[in-house]
Amino acid sequence: MLRKRSISRQVLDVTYAVVFVLLLLPSTLSGPYGSPAVVVLIGFGLALAVRRRSPRLSLALAWVLAVVQMVGGVLDLSADTAIFAILYCTAAYGDNVIRRLGLASAVGGGVIAALYLAYVDGNPFGSPTEEVYQEPRFLQFALLLAGLWAMLGLSWALGRLAYARRSAIESAHARELAEVHQARAEHEVAIEQERNRIARDMHDIVAHSLAVVIAQADGARYVRAVDPAAVDTALTTISDTAREALSDVRVLLGQLRHSQGDLPTPGPGDLERLFDQMRATGLTIDSSIDPTEVSLGAGTHLALYRIAQESLTNALRHGDPDRPVTVTIESDSAGVELTVRNSVLPRRSSPETSGHGVAGMKERASLAGGMCTATGDGSSWTVTAWLPAAGSSTKGIN
């Protein structure tokens, strides 16, 4: 199997092979083996030229040339130095099978070469007799085997080290790339979460403010003939509500431009101001707030305010205007529970199916570590939210 390599690397390999052949060609031509030795030299040059592009082909060609040397008795060993580079490349650039074949070639080839050089003496069909296992032939074989194993094994081991180093570098690069992708994904998730948060705030601000403005405008239009003073009160409420909404929207737009700054966090006193603002629209609110003090974080205060705001806005838009809305806030050491209940008209749509407000309330409560439910029985609509105190754990809503 041919490996994909850059053109410059392949040109370098071919150049190295050509230089190898040219350097050894004069001594090979002047040697006793003549043309067969030149053929072997050129064959090893070809094996060197493809050693990195195709380690499998290079190793197979080296074995064929080794067999040709032994069968033909071509003992010009200068060309055999190419085997070291070939074994290196089998370990450095080959797959698992080629690496194992390269190691087996280093071990088996060393044994065959040592046997051939020590016993055959250039006769490929010779057979050892009993005295070949005696001194000094056996000692010569042992020394040759040790030397060949050392050189061939070292070549293969260096290639294996090069492969391990290259794999480590590639793994490090892959890990760095994965970390970059992870950081980018986390950044995108953070941006999406921030957009969702701003969208929730925008919905709460705009929906609440427009509901108040519409209610005040309709009321002023109906009573202007009989109570002109009420028109001034309604216009004042519209002006204050619109001005407050405009201020909040400007803060949100500033966050979109600069990714910084937060909306002012509503405090406990802002709930009473919210109730008064909704009463000014004509909504009747019966509120009961537990005076027990409980420590709530800034995010929990905001969630409590927004859930109450959305619930009252839904009551104004979808509820029965002739019946009061009951708001109950109970506190204990674990947290605070908000309950908003209003009557609904049979022909009006349910808040659950008419927008995104109910889903936003549930998400706000969840992000604050609490829970929120919104249920209706056909004649009334009840929103119940439990939000934990600072440092307390989440519990369910009874």
Side-chain angles (χ1 to χ4, degrees):
M1 179 178 178
L2 297 180
R3 292 170 52 88
K4 293 182 178 179
R5 307 205 60 84
S6 64
I7 297 177
S8 59
R9 185 70 62 86
Q10 186 60 48
V11 171
L12 183 63
D13 290 343
V14 173
T15 302
Y16 177 83
V18 171
V19 172
F20 175 80
V21 172
L22 293 179
L23 287 177
L24 297 182
L25 186 59
S27 60
T28 303
L29 289 174
S30 61
Y33 301 102
S35 298
V38 174
V39 173
V40 171
L41 176 62
I42 295 175
F44 274 114
L46 293 175
L48 285 176
V50 299
R51 70 188 188 280
R52 284 192 288 192
R53 183 175 177 82
S54 178
R56 185 191 305 270
L57 177 61
S58 180
L59 182 63
L61 187 56
W63 269 106
V64 171
L65 294 171
V67 172
V68 169
Q69 281 185 293
M70 289 185 291
V71 172
V74 182
L75 296 181
D76 188 354
L77 302 181
S78 58
D80 292 339
T81 55
I83 294 176
F84 302 130
I86 294 172
L87 286 177
Y88 174 89
C89 289
T90 59
Y93 302 103
D95 53 23
N96 290 331
V97 175
I98 294 302
R99 280 195 292 274
R100 294 190 183 98
L101 288 177
L103 180 59
S105 298
V107 175
V111 173
I112 294 173
L115 285 172
Y116 183 83
L117 294 175
Y119 295 129
V120 177
D121 287 335
N123 180 11
F125 304 105
S127 58
T129 57
E130 291 184 1
E131 62 268 13
V132 298
Y133 295 100
Q134 307 295 327
E135 297 286 348
R137 288 273 181 109
F138 183 73
L139 178 60
Q140 181 183 6
F141 164 75
L143 292 175
L144 285 171
L145 181 60
L148 288 171
W149 273 357
M151 292 185 292
L152 296 175
L154 179 62
S155 300
W156 186 90
L158 290 176
R160 190 67 179 86
L161 289 176
Y163 170 79
R165 180 177 179 274
R166 189 174 67 253
S167 297
I169 293 174
E170 291 175 354
S171 298
H173 288 168
R175 185 168 57 253
E176 292 176 357
L177 186 61
E179 291 175 354
V180 170
H181 288 323
Q182 181 181 2
R184 185 179 302 168
E186 291 175 352
H187 179 66
E188 292 176 353
V189 169
I191 291 177
E192 186 64 25
Q193 290 177 343
E194 184 67 9
R195 287 176 176 171
N196 290 336
R197 184 186 69 83
I198 293 174
R200 288 194 305 270
D201 287 337
M202 185 70 76
H203 170 272
D204 292 342
I205 293 169
V206 174
H208 165 73
S209 302
L210 288 181
V212 172
V213 169
I214 292 171
Q216 290 292 321
D218 289 341
R221 185 160 52 89
Y222 293 141
V223 303
R224 64 181 177 179
V226 296
D227 189 4
V231 176
D232 293 336
T233 303
L235 292 177
T236 301
T237 302
I238 290 173
S239 176
D240 293 340
T241 302
R243 187 176 292 108
E244 181 180 352
L246 180 61
S247 176
D248 289 343
V249 169
R250 281 175 175 170
V251 174
L252 288 176
L253 293 178
Q255 292 179 4
L256 288 175
R257 292 191 187 99
H258 307 293
S259 298
Q260 60 185 6
D262 292 316
L263 285 173
T265 302
D270 291 318
L271 284 173
E272 288 292 351
R273 186 171 61 86
L274 173 65
F275 297 158
D276 293 338
Q277 187 183 59
M278 297 303 295
R279 288 189 182 103
T281 65
L283 192 66
T284 303
I285 300 177
D286 294 336
S287 61
S288 173
I289 301 179
D290 190 346
T292 303
E293 294 186 359
V294 58
S295 177
L296 297 177
T300 306
H301 266 303
L302 179 60
L304 178 64
Y305 181 86
R306 293 303 186 196
I307 292 173
Q309 183 185 57
E310 179 65 24
S311 300
L312 293 175
T313 302
N314 285 337
L316 178 64
R317 296 171 58 191
H318 305 282
D320 186 350
D322 297 328
R323 296 193 178 186
V325 179
T326 60
V327 180
T328 304
I329 299 178
E330 298 178 348
S331 305
D332 56 25
S333 59
V336 60
E337 184 173 278
L338 167 70
T339 303
V340 180
R341 181 177 293 107
N342 65 275
S343 300
V344 296
L345 295 175
R347 291 173 294 179
R348 292 207 177 182
S349 60
S350 168
E352 186 75 46
T353 60
S354 60
H356 304 285
V358 174
M361 289 191 294
K362 293 180 179 179
E363 187 174 4
R364 282 187 182 278
S366 177
L367 292 175
M371 296 177 63
C372 179
T373 61
T375 58
D377 56 8
S379 61
S380 65
W381 183 261
T382 303
V383 175
T384 305
W386 181 87
L387 302 172
S392 67
S393 58
T394 303
K395 72 175 184 178
I397 300 176
N398 296 328

